[in-house]
Structures are given as C-alpha cells and as structure tokens.
Amino acid sequence: MNIKESLSYLMKKLKEANIATYGIDAMIILKLSINKDELFCLTNPEYRLNEKEIETLKELLAKRKKKYPMAYIQHIKEFYGFELYVDENVLIPRPETELLVDTTLELAKRFINPKILDVGTGSGAIAISLSKILNTTVFASDISFNALLIAKKNARKLNADIQLINADTLSFLNTKIDIIVSNPPYIDEKEYNNLQDDVKFEPKKALITKNGTEIIEKLIKEAKHLCKYLILEIGYNQEDFVKSFDCFYDLKKDFSNLPRVAVFKF
Ligand SMILES: C[S@@+](CC[C@H](N)C(=O)[O-])C[C@H]1O[C@@H](n2cnc3c(N)ncnc32)[C@H](O)[C@@H]1O
C-alpha cells in the first residue's frame, strides 16, 4: 500500500465508522504511522509503507473506529495556545474551559502578585496557562497521582512554574490563597451512560461526582476561610444550584450561551 492508497483506505474505513472528522483523522493517522509530516504525505503519494508502518496504521485505525479520542492518539491537545501532552490519565482539556482562565485572569488584576491554586489540575492546562501568562508560580493539586505526573511533564515541556500537590480537594491547604480555580468533576453518575462514546475513554474520576454536585459543594464549603474568590466550571444545568449559595458572586456563559463558570466571593 502506498500513501495515496493508505489515505483513501483510512478515509473510507473512518467514514463507514461514522467518524465525522474522517478526512483530518485519516491524515493524522497516516502521518503518525509513517512518522512523517503532512507535506511529505502530500508530495510523496507513491511512497510505499513497510510492514511495520501498515501494522501501526491498522492499530490506530482500529482504535479510532471505536471512537478513541484523536487527542489520545496524537498525545496532543492545544489549550489557550499551549500544546499539552495528554493520555488516558487525564481529561482532554476542552475549549470552553478557557473561559475559566479568562475569568481568573480578570479577577487576578485585583491583586498584586496573586496567589492562585488550581484544584483538579489534570494535564495542568489551567495552572500552566495562568502561570505562563501571569509569569508567576501557580499551585496545582489533584487527587490522581498519575494526572500530576502528566501535569509535571507539561510544565517541563512548556517551562511553566507550577507547584504540584497530591490531595483530595482543599484538605491540604493551611494557608490563605487569593484565588482558587477548578474545573471539577460535575457529571451525575446517572448521566454517564448518555455521554458520547469518546468521552468514556477519559478517566471516570475526572468526570463523575455524586449527584453532579458533591465536589462543587465540598469546594465551596472548604474554600470559605481559605480564599477571596473561588472560580468553578459548572454543568449546563447547575445554574440554580450555584446561585443558591450566599457566597455566589457571578456567572459567565460560554460561546454556546450555556452557564459555564461560577464565581464565589468570600
Ligand atoms: C474535569 S477534570 C479537569 C482537568 C483539568 N483541570 C482541565 O480542565 O482539563 C477534573 C480533575 O479533578 C480531579 N479530581 C477528581 N476528584 C478530585 C478531588 N476530590 N480532589 C482533587 N482533585 C480531584 C481529577 O483527577 C481530574 O484531574
């Protein structure tokens, strides 16, 4: 099989598997299988894949046909202009989470050298973006040790100054912080089966919490004496819930006009 044939084969198989992004995905799978860039693929249609390359191509195709996320296949996800390494240990950062960074940057202007903590940092997306933009140390915690290893890898790759802590919510915090930001798990276990197939490859602990609200509620209660502002990403159906707290301060909607970020002031 040469490059031209491989590309047609990949596109056909991905289309049959109802992968909407079959064209882009086919090119990425081809590039990864032969370890060459797009320009090489486009200018060398007659290049013949060797056995090892065909084997890799078939393995990646089989994964993608089952809706395995492209971000895990490539080990790359861009967030706030930064290219992050991702694998199955971490949630794939979502574009709507950039609103959490925007909101934090806005509130950070109210402090001189703001002390910021990102709870449930995962890949480090939020903490790394804030640290790079504000040119400061950002604290980043997660209950998952494996996620912290990925955040560490990303911080090194991007030369970001983040301090990692392995902990359950705010249990470890014994000093005051200006801003606590978090994209916590906020999906109800009952909704899990309705999630798209590709989401089910992501760590369940990064997505699910009791009633969809347990961790949000815990963070609000614990943050009360520990920070000035708590900024949380929330689910589309959690506006009334977050507004029921006395400390509720502000709500931001995302580009789909859905409630996405809740701010609490203490
Ligand atoms: C929705 S993911 C967010 C990851 C990353 N911040 C982002 O926005 O892409 C939630 C993260 O919270 C972590 N987590 C879940 N329960 C936690 C807890 N009780 N305490 C601290 N972190 C927790 C998960 O391991 C996961 O990395």
Side-chain angles (χ1 to χ4, degrees):
M1 219 167 29
N2 66 26
I3 281 189
K4 197 175 162 200
E5 291 158 346
S6 305
L7 205 52
S8 310
Y9 171 77
L10 284 167
M11 292 210 291
K12 180 170 174 286
K13 293 290 173 190
L14 290 170
K15 198 173 176 186
E16 281 169 9
N18 290 321
I19 307 287
T21 49
Y22 64 91
I24 303 167
D25 296 0
M27 178 54 93
I28 294 169
I29 290 174
L30 176 66
K31 284 192 303 185
L32 290 172
S33 306
I34 62 174
N35 201 17
K36 299 267 194 276
D37 61 18
E38 193 164 333
L39 185 63
F40 179 90
C41 297
L42 295 173
T43 51
N44 294 276
E46 305 304 329
Y47 170 94
R48 294 206 80 74
L49 278 70
N50 64 36
E51 257 177 49
K52 178 96 186 43
E53 290 167 341
I54 292 174
E55 199 183 308
T56 308
L57 182 147
K58 289 198 168 157
E59 273 169 23
L60 297 181
L61 172 63
K63 279 187 169 180
R64 187 59 187 141
K65 276 168 65 181
K66 289 184 195 147
K67 310 278 163 73
Y68 190 74
M70 283 309 289
Y72 288 159
I73 288 182
Q74 296 183 84
H75 292 303
I76 287 174
K77 183 70 188 177
E78 197 186 301
F79 180 84
Y80 223 91
F82 300 105
E83 196 175 86
L84 300 161
Y85 170 93
V86 288
D87 66 21
E88 283 181 38
N89 289 300
V90 292
L91 185 102
I92 300 164
R94 308 293 201 267
E96 54 269 29
T97 301
E98 294 187 355
L99 186 59
L100 210 52
V101 177
D102 291 336
T103 309
T104 310
L105 290 172
E106 204 48 49
L107 288 172
K109 288 182 190 157
R110 300 183 186 183
F111 302 88
I112 304 160
N113 295 326
K115 229 175 163 184
I116 303 174
L117 163 68
D118 168 26
V119 179
T121 198
S123 62
I126 299 167
I128 289 172
S129 305
L130 291 170
S131 158
K132 295 291 288 179
I133 295 162
L134 296 170
N135 196 22
T136 187
T137 306
V138 172
F139 299 91
S141 69
D142 206 292
I143 200 164
S144 159
F145 184 75
N146 286 343
L148 289 174
L149 294 178
I150 306 301
K152 187 174 176 184
K153 187 181 173 96
N154 280 320
R156 279 217 183 119
K157 180 179 156 190
L158 293 161
N159 198 22
D161 183 6
I162 64 170
Q163 292 274 333
L164 299 165
I165 306 123
N166 190 199
D168 185 354
T169 56
L170 302 177
S171 53
F172 69 97
L173 204 59
N174 52 17
T175 169
K176 281 211 164 192
I177 290 275
D178 296 316
I179 299 173
I180 296 176
V181 55
S182 180
N183 174 15
Y186 55 74
I187 296 172
D188 190 331
E189 175 93 57
K190 291 188 234 63
E191 283 178 40
Y192 187 74
N193 287 337
N194 304 330
L195 296 177
Q196 288 182 329
D197 293 342
D198 51 351
V199 179
K200 297 201 180 115
F201 289 102
E202 298 186 79
K204 207 171 171 186
K205 243 193 151 153
L207 297 161
I208 302 295
T209 187
K210 199 174 163 196
N211 302 322
T213 51
E214 189 177 66
I215 295 188
I216 292 184
E217 195 165 358
K218 198 168 175 224
L219 283 170
I220 297 170
K221 286 186 177 149
E222 289 179 359
K224 197 172 177 179
H225 303 290
L226 293 169
C227 67
K228 190 82 188 148
Y229 294 102
L230 171 68
I231 308 169
L232 298 180
E233 179 164 323
I234 60 164
Y236 68 95
N237 54 356
Q238 292 174 333
E239 178 169 355
D240 290 344
F241 173 72
V242 293
K243 284 186 170 169
S244 69
F245 290 88
D246 288 346
C247 52
F248 172 80
Y249 178 66
D250 195 12
L251 184 98
K252 308 244 182 228
K253 296 198 171 176
D254 64 17
F255 37 72
S256 308
N257 208 29
L258 293 171
R260 184 59 62 194
V261 171
V263 183
F264 304 87
K265 189 176 176 192
F266 304 101

PDB file of all heavy atoms in Angstrom, residues 11-28:
ATOM      1  N   MET A  11      -9.727   6.909   4.996  1.00  0.00           N
ATOM      2  CA  MET A  11     -10.910   7.771   4.917  1.00  0.00           C
ATOM      3  C   MET A  11     -12.172   6.927   4.762  1.00  0.00           C
ATOM      4  O   MET A  11     -13.186   7.179   5.422  1.00  0.00           O
ATOM      5  CB  MET A  11     -10.778   8.762   3.761  1.00  0.00           C
ATOM      6  CG  MET A  11      -9.685   9.787   4.027  1.00  0.00           C
ATOM      7  SD  MET A  11      -9.973  11.383   3.270  1.00  0.00           S
ATOM      8  CE  MET A  11      -9.783  11.055   1.583  1.00  0.00           C
ATOM      9  N   LYS A  12     -12.091   5.910   3.913  1.00  0.00           N
ATOM     10  CA  LYS A  12     -13.257   5.043   3.652  1.00  0.00           C
ATOM     11  C   LYS A  12     -13.686   4.347   4.948  1.00  0.00           C
ATOM     12  O   LYS A  12     -14.846   4.379   5.332  1.00  0.00           O
ATOM     13  CB  LYS A  12     -12.869   4.022   2.574  1.00  0.00           C
ATOM     14  CG  LYS A  12     -13.957   3.055   2.187  1.00  0.00           C
ATOM     15  CD  LYS A  12     -13.532   2.258   0.954  1.00  0.00           C
ATOM     16  CE  LYS A  12     -14.522   1.173   0.596  1.00  0.00           C
ATOM     17  NZ  LYS A  12     -14.500   0.020   1.492  1.00  0.00           N
ATOM     18  N   LYS A  13     -12.687   3.752   5.645  1.00  0.00           N
ATOM     19  CA  LYS A  13     -12.998   2.980   6.860  1.00  0.00           C
ATOM     20  C   LYS A  13     -13.535   3.885   7.973  1.00  0.00           C
ATOM     21  O   LYS A  13     -14.448   3.512   8.702  1.00  0.00           O
ATOM     22  CB  LYS A  13     -11.737   2.240   7.367  1.00  0.00           C
ATOM     23  CG  LYS A  13     -11.272   1.148   6.438  1.00  0.00           C
ATOM     24  CD  LYS A  13     -12.269  -0.004   6.480  1.00  0.00           C
ATOM     25  CE  LYS A  13     -11.955  -1.064   5.441  1.00  0.00           C
ATOM     26  NZ  LYS A  13     -13.031  -2.060   5.310  1.00  0.00           N
ATOM     27  N   LEU A  14     -12.961   5.089   8.097  1.00  0.00           N
ATOM     28  CA  LEU A  14     -13.408   6.006   9.157  1.00  0.00           C
ATOM     29  C   LEU A  14     -14.802   6.547   8.850  1.00  0.00           C
ATOM     30  O   LEU A  14     -15.634   6.688   9.739  1.00  0.00           O
ATOM     31  CB  LEU A  14     -12.403   7.159   9.332  1.00  0.00           C
ATOM     32  CG  LEU A  14     -11.052   6.755   9.934  1.00  0.00           C
ATOM     33  CD1 LEU A  14     -10.048   7.911   9.840  1.00  0.00           C
ATOM     34  CD2 LEU A  14     -11.196   6.335  11.394  1.00  0.00           C
ATOM     35  N   LYS A  15     -15.050   6.803   7.578  1.00  0.00           N
ATOM     36  CA  LYS A  15     -16.374   7.297   7.173  1.00  0.00           C
ATOM     37  C   LYS A  15     -17.427   6.218   7.464  1.00  0.00           C
ATOM     38  O   LYS A  15     -18.501   6.513   7.996  1.00  0.00           O
ATOM     39  CB  LYS A  15     -16.350   7.652   5.680  1.00  0.00           C
ATOM     40  CG  LYS A  15     -17.481   8.555   5.272  1.00  0.00           C
ATOM     41  CD  LYS A  15     -17.330   9.019   3.840  1.00  0.00           C
ATOM     42  CE  LYS A  15     -18.537   9.837   3.425  1.00  0.00           C
ATOM     43  NZ  LYS A  15     -18.507  10.180   2.025  1.00  0.00           N
ATOM     44  N   GLU A  16     -17.076   4.965   7.132  1.00  0.00           N
ATOM     45  CA  GLU A  16     -18.002   3.855   7.400  1.00  0.00           C
ATOM     46  C   GLU A  16     -18.297   3.719   8.889  1.00  0.00           C
ATOM     47  O   GLU A  16     -19.367   3.282   9.288  1.00  0.00           O
ATOM     48  CB  GLU A  16     -17.390   2.524   6.904  1.00  0.00           C
ATOM     49  CG  GLU A  16     -17.520   2.332   5.413  1.00  0.00           C
ATOM     50  CD  GLU A  16     -16.682   1.156   4.885  1.00  0.00           C
ATOM     51  OE1 GLU A  16     -16.126   0.389   5.722  1.00  0.00           O
ATOM     52  OE2 GLU A  16     -16.573   1.033   3.665  1.00  0.00           O
ATOM     53  N   ALA A  17     -17.314   4.115   9.704  1.00  0.00           N
ATOM     54  CA  ALA A  17     -17.495   4.017  11.166  1.00  0.00           C
ATOM     55  C   ALA A  17     -18.163   5.276  11.730  1.00  0.00           C
ATOM     56  O   ALA A  17     -18.182   5.485  12.945  1.00  0.00           O
ATOM     57  CB  ALA A  17     -16.142   3.775  11.838  1.00  0.00           C
ATOM     58  N   ASN A  18     -18.669   6.123  10.847  1.00  0.00           N
ATOM     59  CA  ASN A  18     -19.380   7.353  11.247  1.00  0.00           C
ATOM     60  C   ASN A  18     -18.516   8.340  12.011  1.00  0.00           C
ATOM     61  O   ASN A  18     -18.976   9.002  12.936  1.00  0.00           O
ATOM     62  CB  ASN A  18     -20.613   7.025  12.097  1.00  0.00           C
ATOM     63  CG  ASN A  18     -21.682   6.370  11.273  1.00  0.00           C
ATOM     64  OD1 ASN A  18     -21.897   6.766  10.116  1.00  0.00           O
ATOM     65  ND2 ASN A  18     -22.305   5.362  11.827  1.00  0.00           N
ATOM     66  N   ILE A  19     -17.243   8.422  11.655  1.00  0.00           N
ATOM     67  CA  ILE A  19     -16.370   9.416  12.270  1.00  0.00           C
ATOM     68  C   ILE A  19     -16.485  10.681  11.416  1.00  0.00           C
ATOM     69  O   ILE A  19     -16.012  10.709  10.268  1.00  0.00           O
ATOM     70  CB  ILE A  19     -14.893   8.928  12.313  1.00  0.00           C
ATOM     71  CG1 ILE A  19     -14.773   7.549  12.971  1.00  0.00           C
ATOM     72  CG2 ILE A  19     -13.987   9.962  12.957  1.00  0.00           C
ATOM     73  CD1 ILE A  19     -14.953   7.506  14.455  1.00  0.00           C
ATOM     74  N   ALA A  20     -17.097  11.709  11.976  1.00  0.00           N
ATOM     75  CA  ALA A  20     -17.385  12.929  11.200  1.00  0.00           C
ATOM     76  C   ALA A  20     -16.103  13.583  10.673  1.00  0.00           C
ATOM     77  O   ALA A  20     -16.090  14.152   9.580  1.00  0.00           O
ATOM     78  CB  ALA A  20     -18.160  13.906  12.076  1.00  0.00           C
ATOM     79  N   THR A  21     -15.032  13.487  11.441  1.00  0.00           N
ATOM     80  CA  THR A  21     -13.769  14.143  11.062  1.00  0.00           C
ATOM     81  C   THR A  21     -12.846  13.176  10.310  1.00  0.00           C
ATOM     82  O   THR A  21     -11.623  13.229  10.469  1.00  0.00           O
ATOM     83  CB  THR A  21     -13.061  14.672  12.332  1.00  0.00           C
ATOM     84  OG1 THR A  21     -13.031  13.591  13.293  1.00  0.00           O
ATOM     85  CG2 THR A  21     -13.787  15.854  12.949  1.00  0.00           C
ATOM     86  N   TYR A  22     -13.437  12.304   9.509  1.00  0.00           N
ATOM     87  CA  TYR A  22     -12.655  11.219   8.884  1.00  0.00           C
ATOM     88  C   TYR A  22     -11.478  11.711   8.035  1.00  0.00           C
ATOM     89  O   TYR A  22     -10.425  11.080   8.020  1.00  0.00           O
ATOM     90  CB  TYR A  22     -13.570  10.274   8.082  1.00  0.00           C
ATOM     91  CG  TYR A  22     -14.257  10.921   6.902  1.00  0.00           C
ATOM     92  CD1 TYR A  22     -13.673  10.921   5.641  1.00  0.00           C
ATOM     93  CD2 TYR A  22     -15.505  11.511   7.045  1.00  0.00           C
ATOM     94  CE1 TYR A  22     -14.307  11.522   4.562  1.00  0.00           C
ATOM     95  CE2 TYR A  22     -16.143  12.109   5.976  1.00  0.00           C
ATOM     96  CZ  TYR A  22     -15.540  12.126   4.742  1.00  0.00           C
ATOM     97  OH  TYR A  22     -16.164  12.720   3.680  1.00  0.00           O
ATOM     98  N   GLY A  23     -11.653  12.836   7.348  1.00  0.00           N
ATOM     99  CA  GLY A  23     -10.586  13.330   6.459  1.00  0.00           C
ATOM    100  C   GLY A  23      -9.354  13.754   7.249  1.00  0.00           C
ATOM    101  O   GLY A  23      -8.230  13.318   6.974  1.00  0.00           O
ATOM    102  N   ILE A  24      -9.578  14.590   8.259  1.00  0.00           N
ATOM    103  CA  ILE A  24      -8.474  15.092   9.093  1.00  0.00           C
ATOM    104  C   ILE A  24      -7.840  13.924   9.853  1.00  0.00           C
ATOM    105  O   ILE A  24      -6.623  13.790   9.927  1.00  0.00           O
ATOM    106  CB  ILE A  24      -8.996  16.131  10.125  1.00  0.00           C
ATOM    107  CG1 ILE A  24      -9.710  17.282   9.422  1.00  0.00           C
ATOM    108  CG2 ILE A  24      -7.880  16.639  11.022  1.00  0.00           C
ATOM    109  CD1 ILE A  24     -10.513  18.166  10.354  1.00  0.00           C
ATOM    110  N   ASP A  25      -8.707  13.069  10.428  1.00  0.00           N
ATOM    111  CA  ASP A  25      -8.199  11.955  11.239  1.00  0.00           C
ATOM    112  C   ASP A  25      -7.359  10.998  10.385  1.00  0.00           C
ATOM    113  O   ASP A  25      -6.326  10.484  10.832  1.00  0.00           O
ATOM    114  CB  ASP A  25      -9.357  11.185  11.883  1.00  0.00           C
ATOM    115  CG  ASP A  25     -10.134  12.043  12.868  1.00  0.00           C
ATOM    116  OD1 ASP A  25      -9.764  13.226  13.043  1.00  0.00           O
ATOM    117  OD2 ASP A  25     -11.100  11.541  13.470  1.00  0.00           O
ATOM    118  N   ALA A  26      -7.806  10.770   9.137  1.00  0.00           N
ATOM    119  CA  ALA A  26      -7.070   9.853   8.255  1.00  0.00           C
ATOM    120  C   ALA A  26      -5.648  10.374   8.029  1.00  0.00           C
ATOM    121  O   ALA A  26      -4.670   9.613   8.118  1.00  0.00           O
ATOM    122  CB  ALA A  26      -7.803   9.721   6.917  1.00  0.00           C
ATOM    123  N   MET A  27      -5.537  11.666   7.769  1.00  0.00           N
ATOM    124  CA  MET A  27      -4.200  12.240   7.527  1.00  0.00           C
ATOM    125  C   MET A  27      -3.322  12.136   8.777  1.00  0.00           C
ATOM    126  O   MET A  27      -2.142  11.785   8.690  1.00  0.00           O
ATOM    127  CB  MET A  27      -4.347  13.702   7.080  1.00  0.00           C
ATOM    128  CG  MET A  27      -3.038  14.419   6.850  1.00  0.00           C
ATOM    129  SD  MET A  27      -1.905  13.566   5.704  1.00  0.00           S
ATOM    130  CE  MET A  27      -2.317  14.328   4.139  1.00  0.00           C
ATOM    131  N   ILE A  28      -3.921  12.397   9.948  1.00  0.00           N
ATOM    132  CA  ILE A  28      -3.132  12.324  11.192  1.00  0.00           C
ATOM    133  C   ILE A  28      -2.658  10.888  11.445  1.00  0.00           C
ATOM    134  O   ILE A  28      -1.493  10.658  11.781  1.00  0.00           O
ATOM    135  CB  ILE A  28      -3.949  12.861  12.394  1.00  0.00           C
ATOM    136  CG1 ILE A  28      -4.213  14.364  12.217  1.00  0.00           C
ATOM    137  CG2 ILE A  28      -3.216  12.601  13.716  1.00  0.00           C
ATOM    138  CD1 ILE A  28      -5.210  14.961  13.185  1.00  0.00           C
TER     139      ILE A  28
END
